[in-house]
Amino acid sequence: MSDPDGLQIGGRPRPVIRPRPASAWNGQEAILDVLAQCRWFRMLSRDELREVYREGVVISLPKGRTVFRTGDTSSDIYILISGRIAISTTGLSGREIGFRQYGPADAFGELAALDGKPRSANAKAMQASQLLRISPSGFRRLLATYPSVAEEVLKSLARLVRALSDRIAENSARAPVRIVGGIVQMAAEAAPAPDTIRVQIHPAPTDEELAARYDSHRESVNRVINELKRRGLVSRSRAALTVLDLPGLRRHLAEMRG
């Protein structure tokens, strides 16, 4: 098994992702704008963001291309510049279970960069995407140079542990509880502040995506969404799923759990 830029994974040939050095990228200032919005780097100055930029290479992925798979030995980190990346795991039955999606300014891949162990999840481009890829040594240099980056990475790890704990609890619950709990989690991640009431989840997850993510069926998801709409807690369009009252949705989830 090779890293995601290698030629082979599990015996199957893979095309090489051809990076170009970040220093040669024409959209440098636009990329710096995205880095400034990333949780890890938001406390850095423009000149410091340029140092982050110089640590990486920019890669472009077509829709459907895998960034890495569970068990890969690659350990780079990624900052999504444009597009959409889905993170999933593979269950014992071989079924792929999605649990997170990333948009521009989101960073991921830090676990393997920190402990050097194989990847614990799959990452796949759901849209044509551009990413800044930074080697584990470059990532460690950034952590050592900028304490604010190290602090934000620790916070992101804490959020990941909490999300996984919540996921374990939801997986033992009934399907409607898992679905509503998942929507609450997505809204909390998308909320700009902890006390936000109205939150837009963009792009809107489809019924099929929610069913796969929360181990249910499309019909069950549709019934749950319609019930939440009837209660005035959510609205949905093709572009976004909007939680109209996040505190109210949390209360409804608590009532469902009994």
Side-chain angles (χ1 to χ4, degrees):
M1 207 173 266
S2 70
D3 72 32
D5 293 335
L7 293 176
Q8 208 158 324
I9 294 285
R12 298 190 300 278
R14 296 259 324 274
V16 174
I17 300 171
R18 301 192 181 280
R20 68 179 79 183
S23 57
W25 191 257
N26 292 330
Q28 175 179 346
E29 293 303 315
I31 292 176
L32 293 181
D33 289 341
V34 175
L35 291 178
Q37 299 174 53
C38 178
R39 285 179 184 266
W40 292 358
F41 309 123
R42 58 187 173 182
M43 301 300 292
L44 301 184
S45 68
R46 196 74 172 181
D47 286 341
E48 290 168 337
L49 290 173
R50 288 190 176 91
E51 292 299 321
V52 175
Y53 178 84
R54 281 192 281 268
E55 286 286 358
V57 293
V58 175
I59 61 173
S60 297
L61 305 179
K63 179 180 178 180
R65 175 67 58 83
T66 296
V67 185
F68 52 74
R69 289 191 178 98
T70 301
D72 284 356
T73 56
S74 65
S75 51
D76 300 320
I77 68 157
Y78 298 87
I79 301 95
L80 186 55
I81 305 303
S82 64
R84 184 177 167 205
I85 299 292
I87 306 296
S88 65
T89 57
T90 303
L92 294 177
S93 65
R95 179 183 179 187
E96 193 168 344
I97 304 169
F99 63 89
R100 180 165 297 206
Q101 295 202 8
Y102 291 117
D106 285 332
F108 61 97
E110 69 274 22
L111 291 182
L114 291 170
D115 65 14
K117 294 185 178 180
R119 300 289 187 182
S120 58
N122 312 307
K124 182 178 180 180
M126 304 306 290
Q127 301 172 352
S129 302
Q130 292 178 345
L131 305 97
L132 183 68
R133 184 179 66 192
I134 299 177
S135 69
S137 59
F139 183 47
R140 288 192 291 271
R141 278 194 295 273
L142 294 173
L143 295 177
T145 303
Y146 304 113
S148 66
V149 175
E151 181 178 352
E152 290 299 332
V153 170
L154 287 173
K155 288 180 180 178
S156 74
L157 293 174
R159 286 191 295 271
L160 178 61
V161 170
R162 290 181 183 277
L164 292 175
S165 297
D166 291 343
R167 183 65 185 270
I168 291 170
E170 295 301 344
N171 282 347
S172 65
R174 294 174 291 112
V177 176
R178 293 197 301 271
I179 295 164
V180 174
I183 294 172
V184 168
Q185 179 184 329
M186 286 189 289
E189 291 172 355
D195 58 351
T196 302
I197 294 176
R198 183 186 177 99
V199 181
Q200 191 174 78
I201 301 168
H202 178 82
T206 65
D207 287 352
E208 290 81 1
E209 289 171 338
L210 288 171
R213 192 179 302 185
Y214 301 111
D215 195 21
S216 185
H217 302 282
R218 183 178 60 80
E219 294 77 10
S220 296
V221 171
N222 187 260
R223 285 195 295 270
V224 169
I225 294 290
N226 286 337
E227 174 63 16
L228 296 179
K229 289 166 66 176
R230 187 187 69 79
R231 291 173 176 268
L233 294 172
V234 306
S235 66
R236 183 161 68 169
S237 67
R238 292 193 177 198
L241 173 64
T242 302
V243 174
L244 303 174
D245 181 2
L246 182 52
L249 187 60
R250 287 191 173 112
R251 289 193 296 270
H252 178 59
L253 177 60
E255 291 170 0
M256 293 177 70
R257 287 171 171 165

